[in-house]
Amino acid sequence: MRLVTEIVPTQTPVLVTRLKFSLFVLLGLVFIPWLLYLIQTAALFGSVKCGLSSVTSGKFSKAAFCVRFAKKVTLALRLQTRFIIGAGPVFTALGLPPSSSFDSANYLSEAILLASLIGEGEYSLLDRLSETLSFLQTSLQATPRLQPLVSQVVSVRSLVSRTQPLVTAGPQLLAINSKSLVLILIQDQTELRPTGGYLNLFALANLESGRITDIQIYDTASTDTQLRGQVLPPVDLQRAIGESSWYLRDANWDPDFPTSASRIAWFISKELSIQPDLVVSLNLTTLVQLLDITGPVNSITSKNFYDLYFASLKDNPSSSQFLSNLSKALFSRLQSLSSPRLSQLLVTFLSSLYNRQIFIAPLSVSVPQLAAAGWSGGVALSACRSALPCLNSYIYAVESNVGINKANAFITRKAQVEAKITPGQISYTYRLTLANSSPDSTWPGGNYKNYLRVYLPSQIKNPTVSINNQPISQYYVSSEHNLSVVGFLSDTAPGATTTIDVTWFEELPASVRFHYQLDLPNQPGVPSYPTAVAVVYPSSWFATTATVPTIASSGQLQYNLSLSRPIQIDVDFAKP
């Protein structure tokens, strides 16, 4: 008899099978959100690249399709983000930056550019980006190890919010569905004038379907010879420069840019028989920034620009050949920028708008978004930022170099404002200190002859002016743009310092509680300078400030700021 042994296969315990299944499900739950996130990120990045390349090649229908797709992906990313918070170490291990969709300034600026060009409706790509970034910022703040990303997200959110006005205004400004003639003012801030600098060059660019088809550079010295008849200048311009005739070169005398833009366009129409649709102002500071984007142009870099510029003027101070040649080459380069460089250009443009170094004034169409954002360069009191009765104060110091030199290249400033509140009124002292570091009187330096206008609320009383602690009688008080204007001349010699004090009074609201707001715009073409603001009030009063002071004590709020963009101070007062 033969014994047959039957081998029975070992059965896998049910528990082990369940554990494997659970592990598989767990890994899926952990990694699938990351996988989806990476796929969506790639899709969003690809759609933005698609739109950008389509825009630069003039294929706007395709670009619009890509943007619509990007909007849908961005909304999905907003939901997906909640599942990948805290996964930074894993992304790093994979060689990917944490939150890779949102910490790239280049990516976002490209998306912003597309949204500006092809904004659709009120709820655009920028709105979705803003929502996503807000959600991401809140989530990151709750995760300590991801704190380094918070500052990046905050910075990008700020960029997005500042770009919102372009979403609806972009198609109009860029003539996406039409033609437009754009007048670009090239102003020399080393010879400072109200809207940014002396106007010795301008460009005329033809836009069609969002693309520049032609651009020509002109100098005002040549075009002004074609003006027929005599145009009388404004009264304060006559006082400042002593001329009886007005020309294009001095037409940016009004600091309210829409007003100056309209007057400049009038001169252009009389001298060249053409009518611009849009006026854009920029100064040499912006041109220097553009050199950092394009790279050297004819061996001119951002580092050697001013040395070469002043050297070109030594033999012929009125020549604009150097700037004309540079502008032609620079604008030609800008029309063929790569996508990353285009992103840099956009960021530079937005920063210059935000810092009031570029203004945009439409002439043939109404674009209220620009005025609301402050990008049209208007001079006006801000609307009250509170429901309480409002004491709305405004101080805008506007300098004009009338010395026919480049002394502003050697001028440094600092300013102080004291607002002293008593039960019946508020007294102001505005102090501006100008220091001239010109080595001597040799051109392009020399004396800084400055016609200074200080724009103040219309209801001011008893203005006075003193220079170096000596009261002066030759000052003028007038009214412009529903504001009071105090204007006068000052002269700062090489190596000297001039201290200017302007004082005035305003009445307080009669109510027990009121809102105090102070606006100090910065003048285009003027570098940032320290500005100290002291608000002094009765110590028995209660003060609540939305603007965090540098120093706060009983009866005084001190703000030590830098005037590189408009300063806004808001305080709610309550009397006992």
Side-chain angles (χ1 to χ4, degrees):
M1 176 184 288
R2 191 168 58 178
L3 182 64
V4 178
T5 305
E6 184 178 359
I7 301 175
V8 179
T10 305
Q11 295 183 352
T12 304
V14 175
L15 180 60
V16 174
T17 302
R18 289 179 176 175
L19 284 173
K20 287 182 178 179
F21 179 76
S22 299
L23 181 60
F24 177 78
V25 171
L26 180 61
L27 290 174
L29 289 174
V30 172
F31 285 106
I32 285 176
W34 294 338
L35 181 61
L36 289 174
Y37 181 74
L38 288 174
I39 292 173
Q40 291 167 341
T41 297
L44 183 56
F45 186 81
S47 61
V48 169
K49 284 291 185 182
C50 159
L52 186 66
S53 62
S54 299
V55 167
T56 53
S57 61
K59 300 175 182 177
F60 294 108
S61 296
K62 183 178 179 181
F65 173 81
C66 294
V67 171
R68 283 193 292 268
F69 182 76
K71 290 179 183 180
K72 295 177 182 178
V73 177
T74 309
L75 180 60
L77 268 174
R78 182 184 185 278
L79 300 174
Q80 188 68 16
T81 301
R82 69 178 70 239
F83 298 108
I84 55 88
I85 296 302
V90 176
F91 278 89
T92 303
L94 293 173
L96 298 170
S99 304
S100 55
S101 294
F102 300 102
D103 63 358
S104 167
N106 275 349
Y107 156 74
L108 275 173
S109 56
E110 288 173 4
I112 289 167
L113 176 62
L114 282 178
S116 302
L117 292 174
I118 321 166
E120 296 178 1
E122 297 180 359
Y123 199 59
S124 65
L125 173 60
L126 280 185
D127 296 301
R128 298 203 189 282
L129 283 173
S130 184
E131 279 190 7
T132 305
L133 289 167
S134 176
F135 179 86
L136 183 63
Q137 180 183 345
T138 303
S139 302
L140 288 173
Q141 287 172 337
T143 311
R145 63 178 176 274
L146 296 181
Q147 284 300 305
L149 292 180
V150 174
S151 61
Q152 296 180 41
V153 174
V154 170
S155 176
V156 172
R157 278 193 70 194
S158 176
L159 179 64
V160 169
S161 66
R162 294 201 303 267
T163 311
Q164 293 286 358
L166 286 180
V167 174
T168 50
Q172 283 179 290
L173 298 178
L174 295 171
I176 294 298
N177 299 309
S178 60
K179 295 180 181 180
S180 177
L181 180 61
V182 180
L183 171 61
I184 304 171
L185 310 179
I186 302 170
Q187 303 171 112
D188 182 359
Q189 81 283 347
T190 65
E191 189 172 347
L192 190 62
R193 289 296 172 91
T195 66
Y198 182 72
L199 179 57
N200 54 6
L201 275 184
F202 63 91
L204 287 169
N206 286 295
L207 279 180
E208 184 174 355
S209 300
R211 303 181 70 183
I212 296 176
T213 59
D214 179 62
I215 188 165
Q216 299 292 327
I217 309 294
Y218 300 83
D219 68 273
T220 57
S222 297
T223 59
D224 277 342
T225 62
Q226 301 181 52
L227 182 65
R228 298 293 178 262
Q230 183 184 25
V231 182
L232 292 177
V235 174
D236 52 357
L237 179 57
Q238 291 183 51
R239 293 192 199 109
I241 64 177
E243 289 194 17
S244 57
S245 296
W246 198 15
Y247 295 96
L248 173 59
R249 61 178 178 264
D250 294 318
N252 61 344
W253 184 252
D254 196 312
D256 182 78
F257 186 68
T259 300
S260 278
S262 179
R263 289 172 177 169
I264 290 167
W266 182 87
F267 276 102
I268 295 288
S269 69
K270 297 301 179 184
E271 296 178 355
L272 299 179
S273 299
I274 52 178
Q275 185 63 52
D277 300 299
L278 180 73
V279 184
V280 179
S281 72
L282 54 87
N283 51 47
L284 298 189
T285 302
T286 305
L287 281 186
V288 171
Q289 292 176 320
L290 296 181
L291 283 169
D292 284 329
I293 297 172
T294 63
V297 174
N298 300 332
S299 301
I300 303 170
T301 69
S302 60
K303 302 240 187 310
N304 66 17
F305 171 82
Y306 287 105
D307 290 337
L308 294 176
Y309 174 47
F310 289 148
S312 74
L313 296 175
K314 284 288 186 183
D315 296 329
N316 186 0
S318 63
S319 173
S320 60
Q321 196 61 47
F322 175 87
L323 283 181
S324 180
N325 292 339
L326 172 63
S327 299
K328 289 176 183 176
L330 196 55
F331 288 143
S332 177
R333 288 272 192 95
L334 292 175
Q335 293 182 64
S336 57
L337 288 178
S338 63
S339 292
R341 297 290 186 184
L342 201 58
S343 299
Q344 286 181 263
L345 175 64
L346 176 70
V347 172
T348 298
F349 183 75
L350 288 172
S351 297
S352 295
L353 276 172
Y354 187 56
N355 296 332
R356 288 172 51 87
Q357 300 305 316
I358 290 178
F359 290 144
I360 305 174
L363 300 178
S364 60
V365 295
S366 175
V367 187
Q369 298 90 345
L370 296 179
W375 292 352
S376 62
V379 174
L381 282 176
S382 299
C384 185
R385 296 185 285 269
S386 172
L388 293 173
C390 199
L391 175 57
N392 197 344
S393 291
Y394 181 91
I395 305 173
Y396 186 21
V398 179
E399 300 177 41
S400 298
N401 183 343
V402 294
I404 317 177
N405 61 19
K406 308 298 180 183
N408 288 99
F410 306 93
I411 299 298
T412 55
R413 303 162 180 79
K414 63 179 180 180
Q416 294 173 281
V417 177
E418 183 184 68
K420 191 171 183 180
I421 301 174
T422 60
Q425 66 181 12
I426 178 169
S427 62
Y428 281 96
T429 299
Y430 172 75
R431 170 170 290 182
L432 178 65
T433 303
L434 303 169
N436 187 350
S437 63
S438 294
D440 49 44
S441 297
T442 305
W443 198 94
N447 285 40
Y448 179 36
K449 295 181 180 179
N450 172 27
Y451 187 79
L452 180 65
R453 284 171 287 174
V454 184
Y455 286 75
L456 304 168
S458 59
Q459 68 273 16
I460 67 164
K461 296 181 178 180
N462 304 324
T464 65
V465 180
S466 63
I467 298 178
N468 294 328
N469 295 319
Q470 296 297 317
I472 66 170
S473 57
Q474 290 296 314
Y475 65 90
Y476 309 91
V477 181
S478 58
S479 178
E480 293 178 26
H481 309 298
N482 296 317
L483 296 166
S484 292
V485 188
V486 181
F488 52 91
L489 282 163
S490 69
D491 194 339
T492 307
T497 297
T498 298
T499 301
I500 298 166
D501 289 299
V502 183
T503 66
W504 67 95
F505 298 88
E506 293 180 38
E507 291 185 357
L508 287 183
S511 56
V512 174
R513 296 182 62 209
F514 67 92
H515 176 76
Y516 172 71
Q517 66 182 46
L518 174 62
D519 290 271
L520 290 88
N522 61 305
Q523 182 180 355
V526 176
S528 172
Y529 59 93
T531 301
V533 179
V535 180
V536 182
Y537 58 94
S539 57
S540 60
W541 288 19
F542 298 96
T544 305
T545 177
T547 313
V548 179
T550 308
I551 301 172
S553 59
S554 178
Q556 182 166 340
L557 302 171
Q558 177 78 36
Y559 302 87
N560 297 326
L561 305 165
S562 179
L563 191 58
S564 57
R565 59 178 62 99
I567 291 173
Q568 293 183 338
I569 293 174
D570 293 88
V571 186
D572 288 339
F573 285 108
K575 305 174 188 177

